[in-house]
Amino acid sequence: MTMISAFIIIFFSNLPTSMAWANSARFATRLHVRAERLTIKTALSVSSSLLDQMLSPNPSCDPTQMSPTSLAYIGDSVFELFVRSRYVWPARRTTDLQNLVVGRVRAETQSKIFRRLLSSEIFELTKEERNIISRGRNAGSSSGGRKRGPKRLYGSNDGKDSTYGGPEVYQDSTALEALIGFTYLTDKNRCVEIINFLSEELDRIDNEEGVVR
């Protein structure tokens, strides 16, 4: 045994009992706190995973085989939840909140931000995503004399008056929702990237209209 080792043993053996107990208690407390934090983090992770499963279709679902209208059906819900969460705080009167959300999820606004997405030189869409967009647009097109989408989009007799938007606006809206729905089901990280781009475009609109967030 070296001299230093002997000194250490003698030093600690002569510490007051109360000090030893105090150190032990502090150490145990630290361990307990760390264990609690780890438990909470694990629980949150598990809860998040379960919520993700509950908000997803049957595991046997193949998004590549889903119709564009079904993809848009999911995308519409995802986008609306995003918009509602975005504007629910700071607190607003219910009517003001509802009007704001409706204004952001309506076809006209979706078409506006969708066209910015398509023309963006920064955000590049994949070949598969462009295919989904094409399918979504076709699903939103009018056929057999039947006009798809809200009646407000068709203000003139021929339904092509740009003042009201016309069928192209609804096609854009359906295409965007189909894209969101597809990426939500197949690649949530990619869905986040798309939603983030749309969020930045909504920021611009909010600034133009003086909306407080």
Side-chain angles (χ1 to χ4, degrees):
M1 181 183 295
T2 65
M3 202 170 207
I4 295 177
S5 299
F7 173 77
I8 292 174
I9 292 173
I10 294 172
F11 176 78
F12 279 102
S13 65
N14 285 285
L15 281 175
T17 304
S18 59
M19 183 181 293
W21 275 105
N23 288 336
S24 298
R26 281 196 291 269
F27 181 69
T29 301
R30 291 196 192 101
L31 285 179
H32 182 69
V33 170
R34 289 180 182 177
E36 280 190 339
R37 289 175 180 172
L38 181 60
T39 301
I40 292 173
K41 184 177 292 186
T42 303
L44 289 175
S45 177
V46 171
S47 298
S48 177
S49 178
L50 289 174
L51 181 62
D52 183 57
Q53 292 178 25
M54 294 174 68
L55 296 180
S56 298
N58 188 297
S60 63
C61 171
D62 183 359
T64 62
Q65 299 300 312
M66 292 174 66
S67 69
T69 51
S70 293
L71 292 174
Y73 183 75
I74 293 295
D76 174 57
S77 299
V78 174
F79 185 71
E80 179 151 351
L81 178 58
F82 156 68
V83 171
R84 289 190 178 204
S85 299
R86 174 186 171 90
Y87 294 111
V88 74
W89 187 265
R92 296 178 171 85
R93 291 190 306 174
T94 303
T95 52
D96 293 339
L97 175 60
Q98 179 66 8
N99 290 336
L100 180 57
V101 169
V102 169
R104 294 296 184 263
V105 300
R106 69 192 311 168
E108 294 89 330
T109 303
Q110 287 186 334
S111 175
K112 185 177 182 179
I113 59 179
F114 173 69
R115 294 185 183 187
R116 288 179 178 173
L117 175 66
L118 292 182
S119 62
S120 173
E121 297 180 356
I122 301 175
F123 197 95
E124 186 174 353
L125 294 165
T126 66
K127 182 178 180 180
E128 185 175 39
E129 289 167 351
R130 289 188 176 278
N131 180 51
I132 294 296
I133 287 174
S134 178
R135 292 174 58 201
R137 285 186 61 82
N138 290 335
S141 61
S142 301
S143 59
R146 179 187 175 188
K147 297 176 181 178
R148 297 182 183 276
K151 292 182 179 180
R152 67 174 183 275
L153 298 179
Y154 304 92
S156 59
N157 293 329
D158 59 8
K160 297 180 180 179
D161 190 341
S162 60
T163 302
Y164 298 92
E168 287 189 1
V169 168
Y170 186 67
Q171 287 178 296
D172 289 343
S173 174
T174 306
L176 176 63
E177 291 175 348
L179 176 63
I180 294 174
F182 180 75
T183 54
Y184 173 78
L185 296 175
T186 60
D187 186 348
K188 286 187 171 54
N189 288 332
R190 181 58 171 172
C191 186
V192 168
E193 292 176 357
I194 293 174
I195 293 293
N196 186 58
F197 179 91
L198 302 181
S199 179
E200 292 178 354
E201 293 303 319
L202 289 178
D203 286 343
R204 296 184 185 183
I205 297 176
D206 288 343
N207 290 334
E208 292 172 359
E209 299 181 2
V211 175
V212 178
R213 285 188 58 247

